[in-house]
DNA sequence: TTGAAAGCGCTAACAG
DNA sequence: CTGTTAGCGCTTTCAA
């Protein structure tokens, strides 16, 4: 037990001043080897650890980053969370979690601000932009992850996202060149920037191939809703889509299950399905989902750098809206373009970057 | 912008003392309505929020709970995380995340202790018990979630887990009465308490039916390793298991995919598969996994109460090791006992509690 | 109910 | 390199 061992206790035991103890525990401050040793011995004997709250009170930095999420069932978010926590740990930061699915949450702002987090990563695609704005106004750096501010909102907020439009376009082109002629789309949350961009890119891509969306449903980024949308879209046996782009992998799994189990359709022989995100499950044997990858690690890296820039600069730097290129991940859930077919089928899965190839 | 608005600023604007401001922001402290109104107006005008670090410095409580996890790919952990964060939020606590897969992590202890968390939930099944012990020694309440201390370790640490043994037993009994005679087992991490208990229960259940484990593999709670274990276990086409219990759902998905896709086996006609956890994906159409549920919400509730008791008491209460009963969730991945077969097959899924039935 | 004063544990100036 | 001093923003006695 060491209830409340303070730096002063350590100082006394080591027969040095309190400041010496502080220095010994602050990397980069100069202390003689001998003094440091005495201090560390004393600290160990007493079980002393610096109090992060007291430190943050005076330094003005908490070394805590707030992460705001709305739900975790879609594995994309746990992946983001894990990646972010690991990345921040390297820089000595920690993640304080805020889970909130209430779109307009004033009290959430209060909570975040009370902890004096050094920055916020907002990865809840359905949360109002107002939250980000309020935090930014309070002087806290905010990075929107996998989303952008609603139109017209202030430009003090940065964002990192993957290239949703290019992804939608690549998927459209892939389906079109695969010979599909009745291509459906199942949307996520229709107001979300992710869905808007993916759908726009998809429409553009189809248009370039002389096609348009043949059928459209809304899944709201929800498993059950996506299932219902798919069932409805494929209800009429005579005039079905021959392919669907589902706006997230998580919904795509629901769609694949519905198509196969409820409707007895074979994928990709009777219908092709493609998704977006490339979550780990997309590679699972039951799905082998062709999808567009969101490169989480580079996105996190970019977000952390944005935050770091804020913390380093006196003046808040201008907001940036970063777009990280992703890549098309070809697996087995969609019929392949004729040319690529034979070649790719014999390999396990293929990656084709929309902005050039990666090894 | 409100860089550093303090309670003193608010006090001056509201023409009251700093203490009055403090009281106004502390639920349950007495302030006159008039004074409170003036203070709140001033606070709003200034954009003031109390500084949680300063508060914690003097109260000795941070209202932060540390959650230690090792990885999130198994959806069980995101579910736990989300449930815990939501539950704690109700009591005004927040979750500080520590992701760590290094089994013996002294510096992790340092990090946790520096933040003066009010309690720790340790849900990393592979992390050494030493971590928990050190935190407990430092006077911080620790609750082990879904695991227990290694044998012989101190008893100052509480734990909450589901009834792994009963689960293993129920699963064994279910498979045995389903007419299976060559029953395999794929273990998780062999040192983990979860695996030990599940395996023990499973062996007991088989023994009660006059059987023993026919084949055994190790999946280490890892997707790829489980796949390999399954492939190896089923390599000899002539003498295969007719059922497998896989120690976690997450591994069970890998096993099902391997069995179906690589070996062309039909589930449950040629082989039955059962898992443990009942993660959301177990209900997905491609798997429809029969499994034993870990009742996360009650487990979290129990964990939070344990923590609350610590915080309320002066003397740390005696450690408790709580076991929360779970239930068998019958779906379609395993052949049913003959009697139950016809009845259950026509419904979507069945729940049979090991300690009596639930609606 | 309210205010004045003290101090939580630490770091940052500044001298030496 | 080291110590002294002051004070981060808050809550808490204690008196009034």
């Amino acid at each position: 037990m060491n209830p409340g061992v303070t730096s002063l206790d350590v100082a006394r035991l080591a027969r040095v001043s309190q400041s010496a103890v502080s220095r010994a525990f602050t990397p980069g401050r100069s202390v003689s080897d001998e003094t440091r040793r005495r201090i560390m011995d004393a600290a160990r004997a007493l079980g002393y650890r610096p109090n992060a709250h007291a430190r943050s009170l005076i330094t003005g930095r908490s070394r805590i980053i707030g992460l705001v999420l709305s739900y975790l069932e879609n594995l994309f978010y746990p992946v983001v969370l894990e990646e972010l926590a690991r990345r921040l740990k390297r820089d000595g930061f920690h993640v304080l979690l805020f889970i909130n699915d209430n779109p307009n949450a004033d009290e959430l702002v209060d909570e975040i601000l009370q902890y004096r987090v050094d920055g916020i990563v907002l990865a809840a695609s359905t949360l109002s932009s107002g939250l980000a704005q309020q935090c930014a106004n309070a002087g806290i750096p905010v990075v929107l992850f996998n989303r952008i501010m609603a139109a017209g909102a202030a430009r003090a907020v940065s964002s990192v996202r993957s290239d949703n439009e290019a992804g939608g376009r690549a998927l459209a082109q892939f389906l079109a060149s695969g010979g599909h002629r009745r291509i459906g789309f199942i949307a996520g949350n229709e107001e979300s920037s992710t869905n808007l961009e993916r759908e726009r890119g998809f429409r553009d891509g189809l248009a370039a191939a002389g096609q348009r969306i043949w059928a459209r449903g809304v899944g709201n980024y929800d498993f059950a809703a996506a299932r219902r949308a798919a069932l409805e879209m494929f209800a009429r046996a005579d005039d079905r889509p021959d392919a669907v782009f589902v706006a997230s992998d998580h919904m795509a799994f629901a769609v694949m299950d519905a198509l196969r189990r409820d409707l007895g359709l074979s994928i990709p022989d009777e219908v092709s399905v493609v998704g977006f995100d490339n979550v780990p499950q997309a590679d699972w044997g039951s799905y082998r989902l062709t999808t567009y990858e969101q490169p989480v690690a580079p996105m996190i890296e970019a977000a952390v750098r944005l935050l770091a820039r804020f913390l380093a600069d006196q003046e808040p730097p201008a907001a940036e809206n970063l777009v990280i290129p992703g890549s098309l991940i070809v697996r087995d859930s969609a019929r392949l373009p004729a040319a690529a077919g034979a070649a790719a089928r014999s390999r396990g899965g293929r990656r084709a970057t929309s902005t050039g190839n990666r090894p």
Side-chain angles (χ1 to χ4, degrees), chain A:
Chain A
M1 304 279 169
N2 57 6
V5 178
T6 75
S7 60
L8 197 54
D9 299 328
V10 177
R12 283 202 260 259
L13 183 58
R15 305 186 164 285
V16 295
S17 75
Q18 203 179 9
S19 345
V21 178
S22 171
R23 289 187 190 104
F25 277 90
T26 309
R29 305 299 237 89
S30 51
V31 197
S32 76
D33 287 350
E34 165 60 12
T35 307
R36 152 163 287 124
R37 200 190 50 67
R38 286 229 311 279
I39 291 174
M40 289 313 186
D41 285 351
R44 200 167 307 112
L46 262 26
Y48 167 78
R49 342 258 164 171
N51 182 323
H53 304 292
R55 172 179 289 171
S56 91
L57 201 53
I58 188 154
T59 60
R61 314 245 87 120
S62 60
R63 302 199 80 78
I64 293 178
I65 300 294
L67 174 62
V68 183
L69 297 170
S70 53
Y71 69 113
L72 293 174
E73 195 183 332
N74 179 345
L75 250 196
F76 179 69
Y77 292 104
V79 168
V80 167
L81 173 55
E82 182 170 345
E83 195 77 37
L84 181 66
R86 287 190 199 282
R87 178 60 185 77
L88 287 177
K89 184 191 164 91
R90 291 209 334 246
D91 292 359
F93 285 84
H94 287 270
V95 172
L96 191 64
L97 200 62
F98 297 89
I99 303 231
N100 196 292
D101 36 24
N102 181 356
N104 72 325
D106 274 353
E107 69 175 30
L108 175 57
V109 175
D110 287 347
E111 292 173 19
I112 294 175
L113 264 27
Q114 286 186 214
Y115 281 103
R116 299 296 193 269
V117 295
D118 288 342
I120 297 172
V121 175
L122 202 156
S125 64
T126 57
L127 225 55
S128 120
S129 304
L131 170 73
Q133 192 58 65
Q134 286 183 66
C135 294
N137 290 346
I140 300 188
V142 179
V143 175
L144 263 28
F145 193 90
N146 189 29
R147 58 167 294 182
I148 52 176
M149 291 292 272
R155 69 217 66 122
V157 177
S158 292
S159 67
V160 174
R161 64 197 196 277
S162 65
D163 199 338
N164 291 308
E165 255 190 78
R169 222 176 299 122
L171 259 3
Q173 192 210 323
F174 180 80
L175 290 179
S177 63
H180 303 93
R181 290 296 171 261
R182 298 189 305 280
I183 303 180
F185 172 65
I186 293 181
N189 181 314
E190 291 191 273
E191 277 93 55
S192 68
S193 66
T194 46
N195 187 75
L196 256 19
E197 294 175 347
R198 288 169 198 179
E199 182 164 1
R200 188 185 316 134
F202 191 63
R203 285 185 191 281
D204 286 358
L206 287 187
Q211 296 198 49
R212 8 182 329 201
I213 289 178
W214 167 272
R216 186 176 184 283
V218 178
N220 246 312
Y221 290 133
D222 177 75
F223 195 83
R227 180 176 187 284
R228 271 179 262 122
L231 257 16
E232 193 179 328
M233 181 178 286
F234 284 78
R236 304 224 327 276
D238 52 336
D239 218 22
R240 280 173 173 152
D242 57 5
V244 220
F245 166 36
V246 190
S248 76
D249 286 357
H250 187 245
M251 292 194 297
F253 303 134
V255 170
M256 288 180 77
D257 285 344
L259 261 26
R260 289 206 272 228
R261 293 211 2 136
D262 294 87
L263 269 21
L265 262 22
S266 162
I267 299 171
D269 302 314
E270 297 176 271
V271 54
S272 291
V273 178
V274 298
F276 205 108
D277 285 346
N278 195 35
V279 297
Q281 297 149 359
D283 198 45
W284 288 10
S286 292
Y287 299 106
R288 299 281 314 145
L289 180 65
T290 290
T291 188
Y292 196 83
E293 174 194 38
Q294 294 215 61
V296 174
M299 289 169 71
I300 290 291
E301 183 63 35
V304 170
R305 280 176 196 242
L306 242 26
L307 253 20
R309 270 238 328 265
F310 269 98
L311 298 181
D313 295 16
Q314 304 306 83
E315 290 303 291
E320 289 192 60
N321 295 294
L322 267 29
V323 175
I324 313 293
S327 38
L328 184 67
I329 308 289
V330 179
R331 296 200 183 88
D332 310 327
S333 67
R335 206 195 312 145
L336 298 173
R345 210 180 296 274
S346 61
R347 292 180 249 150
R350 255 191 45 195
R351 162 172 305 208
T353 309
S354 60
T355 55
N357 280 311
R358 299 206 309 209

